Amino acid sequence: MAKVYSDATSALAGLLKDDMVIMAGGFGLCGIPSLLIKAIRDSGVKNLTIISNNAGIDGEGLGLLLETRQVKKMISSYVGENKTFAQQYLAGELEIEFNPQGTLAERIRAGGAGIPAFYTKTGVGTLIAQGKDEREFNGEKYVMETGLLADLAVVHAWKGDTEGNLVYRKSARNFNPMMATAGKVTVAQVEHLVECGTIDPDHIITPGIFVQRIIHAAGLEKKIEQRTVRQRA
Amino acid sequence: MAWTREEMAARAAKELRDGYYVNLGIGIPTLVSNYIPDGMTVQLQSENGMLGMGPFPFEGDEDPDLINAGKQTITELPTTSYFSSADSFAMIRGGHIDLSILGAMQVAENGDLANWMIPGKMVKGMGGAMDLVAGVKKVVVLMEHVAKEEKKLLKRCTLPLTGAGVVNMVITDLGVFTVGKDGMTAIEIAPHVTREEISAKTEASLRFADNLVQH
């Protein structure tokens, strides 16, 4: 079955519907599936629940879906960079479920690995633990967190082959590998699309079994959120 | 005279040990990386998925795929490794990171920490802070002693907690305080700062160590 699609819109054809749950990879604007997010916006699908560490910034990343009010709820760990988010949240138009970043990462990993719940010490004794099962192991308290799955996962990788095997680059890996495992359907955008056999099998991070559709994001413009530099001596 | 931000960072750097893996929070904690003693090997962890964080890049060398947890452009080192967010928090939650230095709004004498949420104000989220304080072996808070006259070292935190009983040490512009089973103890005082000033600016029950160092 051919996994390669010509562009983001055709790769998402038949997958989008109102009220669905979508996972989107990335940390800040680093390693976000930007072309797939734009295609989701252009489809007009609405009432989305989005699972993503952040909410993009105004005009970039998931910020695009907030501007068009296509998002009903975000499950995130930090949303500080987005003014549109703050306005809609304070107006009661947007729900947010905050998860500690490591708990979010592990919930996604667990979901994709067929683990319905796990215990963590993160958040014990805080608001995060309220209403959740608590248990003691070896004299320490832990709180139960559930695995997360999505109808669709959209991820970004540096290199991918036609089988859907993916390799990430530097800190653009972040949430992408776990999300690829936790989508009923996973669509990947890759900066370099290569033939099978080109990538050393020992270097593959996400095996192709987790990726159903793939597009080539040629000449992708990647944004920098906080440009920080030092002076040359 | 109270310590400056730079002096606070320099004092915090004295908690580093050779071979440590360390996570530094945003703000004053980031400055600690400028005071790693020569000859000491310390690997900085960035919770978005990097170990062995280098300095900011030279202008023109910025890489959008290479950022720290504050979303700032950084560089890699010969020791650098990259990994997923799940692996990153396995390091943190699993107790593999030796030291976390982070900011706070409030610290209580029982080690409770509040630094992520003020009810009624826009909540940005806790990011990785809850995981860090729950999982890292030693947690050092680096913060101003008071904020606009509001005391920050308290008997009990009034803000929602980031972690319960998690803080081991607090370094402020006025001194250094350990937090243990027997409460909060001042072990060092900044130059020209008096015990009276510290007591007046602290709500927590505070003991002054017998071997207190007056800088």
Side-chain angles (χ1 to χ4, degrees), chain A residues 27-31 54 76-81 85-86 89-90 98-103 105-106 109 120-128 156 158 169-175 177-178 191 222-233, chain B residues 47-50 55-76 82-87 89 93-95 116-117 120-132 134-135 160-164:
Chain A
F27 182 95
L29 297 180
C30 182
N54 311 103
S76 305
S77 87
Y78 189 82
V79 297
E81 288 90 357
F85 186 101
Y89 175 75
L90 293 171
F98 282 118
N99 281 202
Q101 196 176 137
T103 295
E106 190 63 13
R109 196 196 69 81
T120 174
K121 58 185 164 185
T122 300
V124 169
T126 75
L127 289 176
I128 292 303
H156 172 91
W158 176 58
R169 183 171 177 273
K170 304 186 189 285
S171 59
R173 185 181 310 189
N174 55 63
F175 281 81
M178 294 88 72
E191 291 177 62
K222 294 182 283 186
K223 296 283 167 61
I224 291 177
E225 209 168 319
Q226 305 280 345
R227 188 179 297 274
T228 44
V229 295
R230 72 188 139 126
Q231 296 300 315
R232 285 179 200 274
Chain B
E47 66 265 26
N48 54 319
M50 179 185 197
F56 293 145
F58 293 120
E59 198 167 348
D61 292 345
E62 308 94 315
D63 183 339
D65 288 341
L66 184 42
I67 62 167
N68 64 16
K71 282 105 182 174
Q72 298 171 310
T73 45
I74 46 160
T75 55
E76 63 187 24
Y82 298 108
F83 34 83
S84 72
S85 302
D87 287 340
F89 284 91
R93 200 189 306 103
W116 78 283
M117 177 183 182
K121 290 205 176 168
M122 178 60 200
V123 181
K124 293 180 172 183
M126 70 291 281
M130 283 195 181
D131 307 278
L132 283 160
L161 297 186
T162 306

Side-chain angles (χ1 to χ4, degrees), chain B residues 9 12-13 15-16 20-36 42-48 50-51 53-54 68-70 72 92 97-103 129 132 136 138 140 142:
Chain B
E15 300 307 309
L16 301 170
Y20 261 19
Y21 292 94
V22 179
N23 184 291
L24 300 177
I26 295 165
I28 308 177
T30 304
L31 301 174
V32 176
S33 64
N34 298 331
Y35 296 96
I36 301 170
V42 168
Q43 298 296 331
L44 299 178
Q45 200 248 19
S46 189
E47 66 265 26
N48 54 319
M50 179 185 197
L51 200 55
M53 189 167 43
N68 64 16
Q72 298 171 310
I92 290 167
I97 305 288
D98 298 291
L99 177 63
S100 166
I101 302 179
L102 73 179
L132 283 160
V136 172
K138 180 171 180 176
V140 173
L142 196 49

Side-chain angles (χ1 to χ4, degrees), chain B residues 97-118:
Chain B
I97 305 288
D98 298 291
L99 177 63
S100 166
I101 302 179
L102 73 179
M105 297 172 184
Q106 298 179 336
V107 178
E109 61 193 48
N110 61 357
D112 287 359
L113 167 71
N115 75 351
W116 78 283
M117 177 183 182
I118 301 173

